[in-house]
Amino acid sequence: MSNIRRIAVNTGGGDAPGLNAVIRAVVLSAEQLGWKVVGLKDSYDGLFEEGGVIPLDRRAVRGITHLGGTILGTTNRGNPLNWPVEGPDGTVTYEDRSQQVVDLIEKHEVDALIAIGGDGSLAIAHALSKLGLPVVGVPKTIDNDLAATNLTFGFTTAVETATDAIGKLHSTAEAHERTMVVELMGRTAGWIALHAGVAGTADVILIPEIPYDIGVVCRKIEERYGSHGSQFAIVVVAEGAHTAEGSMRYRETNEGQHRLGGIGKVVSEQIHELTGRETRELVLGHLQRGGGPNAYDRLLALRFGAAAVRMVQQGRFGTMVALDPPDVLAVPLAEAISRIKTVPLDSDTIQTARSLGICLGDR
Ligand code: F6P
């Protein structure tokens, strides 16, 4: 018998389709066990605000499985381990608020936390767990770059959105005999670009795992316009793609954060310069995170939420639920945050891309 009476759930980092489905599964599974559930607003921020700890029951999570975003809100700023504090003179210093978070959670008579998040949020969860807070993590990111789980929810929905966009680019590219360059998300791992690029029949796919040579890319494009008879080309670029000598491209947000972005424009300009072909570029951006989850991600998210409650019931704290097909099991949080899961260069999808004649920028 577990001593659990009340648990908390929160969502941290960038959103991903399926967050609401996890929340619903957590609430319904916990209610079956007679537990109460509260949601922390905006990751951990709710703990520090009046009304930021919200009771969640069956009614509160009705009809949300198919909805994008998160009913709890999220943030990828204000890490409690590195909390920005502005001094009277305007200078910003950073303090570790993790013990405060643990104390506040205890003050709310919460016996365990289910933390839904990506690498950053799970690192916070791991730190809180080391301070003694009973935590179970749920892996979330459209980038699919979390180690220790075969898949994260939100990824296949993002791939569908990107594949659909690549499909639509074909007709306009062909009509204008242009090369269209589309930049997709996926910071240091090219999962979305590779999967959407192959499924969407791109001609070139550039991912961070394979440094590209622009000469090789242009040769492929000339081949397309030449002997292959097609008068257009589609180039998919992951936001973290780079050359062997070059580094990743960053831009500054209007709040002073550094985010990847801009490589699509660079590649597009280089192609135009070297081939003389007309090019256009677009950044698909946050569309990849938007909208509701597809059926696969809904199911995975519901499975993760239900499994997280089982792990709490079994007292398996300091773990993260993970997909190890066909099962969902628990892995240590420490293992989950130990490394980023990049695309293996000998993976079947890479081999498939090469067999189909898709240029990956290296040969
Ligand atoms: O982690 C998912 C991700 O979508 C990255 O691929 C991207 O670089 C980042 O989030 C963008 O985050 P923001 O919400 O800060 O723009």
Side-chain angles (χ1 to χ4, degrees), residues 13-16 75-77 118-119 140-145 184-189 192 239-240 250-251 253 257-261 285-286 288-289:
D15 68 331
T75 175
N76 49 14
R77 284 175 290 151
D119 55 347
K140 164 255 40 162
T141 164
I142 64 161
D143 296 345
N144 194 36
D145 59 358
L184 299 182
M185 279 186 172
R187 284 173 290 177
T188 41
I192 298 177
E239 60 187 356
Y250 285 87
R251 63 191 163 77
T253 69
Q257 298 162 299
H258 288 272
R259 290 287 182 267
L260 282 164
H286 295 81
Q288 293 159 95
R289 297 218 307 242

Side-chain angles (χ1 to χ4, degrees), residues 9-332:
V9 59
N10 72 349
T11 52
D15 68 331
L19 284 168
N20 285 321
V22 182
I23 296 169
R24 178 164 170 272
V26 165
V27 172
L28 297 189
S29 310
E31 277 197 356
Q32 299 262 2
L33 297 168
W35 305 348
K36 296 261 183 273
V37 184
V38 290
L40 311 183
K41 269 191 77 185
D42 301 332
S43 190
Y44 296 93
D45 290 4
L47 285 169
F48 298 88
E49 293 158 10
E50 191 64 36
V53 177
I54 313 155
L56 294 175
D57 60 9
R58 176 171 292 271
R59 283 170 56 128
V61 297
R62 185 170 292 156
I64 64 167
T65 305
H66 64 290
L67 299 180
T70 158
I71 59 165
L72 293 176
T74 188
T75 175
N76 49 14
R77 284 175 290 151
N79 176 351
L81 306 182
N82 206 20
W83 189 264
V85 184
E86 198 174 318
D89 60 349
T91 54
V92 177
T93 53
Y94 292 86
E95 66 180 39
D96 183 353
R97 274 183 151 189
S98 48
Q99 188 56 53
Q100 252 175 294
V101 168
V102 173
D103 295 344
L104 284 168
I105 288 180
E106 277 169 9
K107 199 177 130 214
H108 282 278
E109 296 181 330
V110 164
D111 303 309
L113 169 70
I114 294 180
I116 314 169
D119 55 347
S121 308
L122 293 175
I124 298 168
H126 181 54
L128 298 176
S129 150
K130 286 206 292 190
L131 289 176
L133 185 75
V135 185
V136 172
V138 175
K140 164 255 40 162
T141 164
I142 64 161
D143 296 345
N144 194 36
D145 59 358
L146 269 173
T149 183
N150 184 267
L151 269 184
T152 49
F153 67 85
F155 168 66
T156 69
T157 303
V159 168
E160 266 180 34
T161 300
T163 305
D164 185 46
I166 295 167
K168 287 179 173 153
L169 285 178
H170 272 77
S171 56
T172 174
E174 186 166 20
H176 288 268
E177 301 192 345
R178 282 175 179 152
T179 291
M180 297 296 301
V181 179
V182 54
E183 181 182 305
L184 299 182
M185 279 186 172
R187 284 173 290 177
T188 41
W191 293 102
I192 298 177
L194 179 66
H195 284 227
V198 173
T201 70
D203 304 296
V204 178
I205 303 172
L206 306 179
I207 60 174
E209 291 86 344
I210 304 178
Y212 72 89
D213 175 337
I214 195 67
V216 171
V217 172
C218 290
R219 219 166 37 240
K220 170 70 185 179
I221 288 169
E222 285 303 355
E223 227 175 78
R224 279 271 298 175
Y225 281 85
S227 57
H228 286 193
S230 303
Q231 296 305 308
F232 71 100
I234 305 288
V235 179
V236 171
V237 187
E239 60 187 356
H242 57 91
T243 59
E245 320 72 49
S247 47
M248 292 179 181
R249 291 269 160 169
Y250 285 87
R251 63 191 163 77
E252 201 171 314
T253 69
N254 45 22
E255 281 174 330
Q257 298 162 299
H258 288 272
R259 290 287 182 267
L260 282 164
I263 190 65
K265 190 168 167 46
V266 171
V267 169
S268 169
E269 281 168 0
Q270 286 175 327
I271 293 172
H272 173 66
E273 214 170 282
L274 293 172
T275 65
R277 304 279 176 197
E278 190 177 17
T279 60
R280 291 283 191 279
E281 68 282 340
L282 85 151
V283 180
L284 205 56
H286 295 81
L287 269 180
Q288 293 159 95
R289 297 218 307 242
N294 64 15
Y296 184 89
D297 282 335
R298 283 185 208 185
L299 179 60
L300 184 60
L302 293 168
R303 291 179 68 194
F304 277 173
V309 170
R310 285 199 300 275
M311 297 314 157
V312 171
Q313 189 189 17
Q314 293 164 18
R316 301 184 66 189
F317 299 117
T319 62
M320 177 190 87
V321 296
L323 179 68
D324 185 359
D327 302 316
V328 171
L329 37 77
V331 295

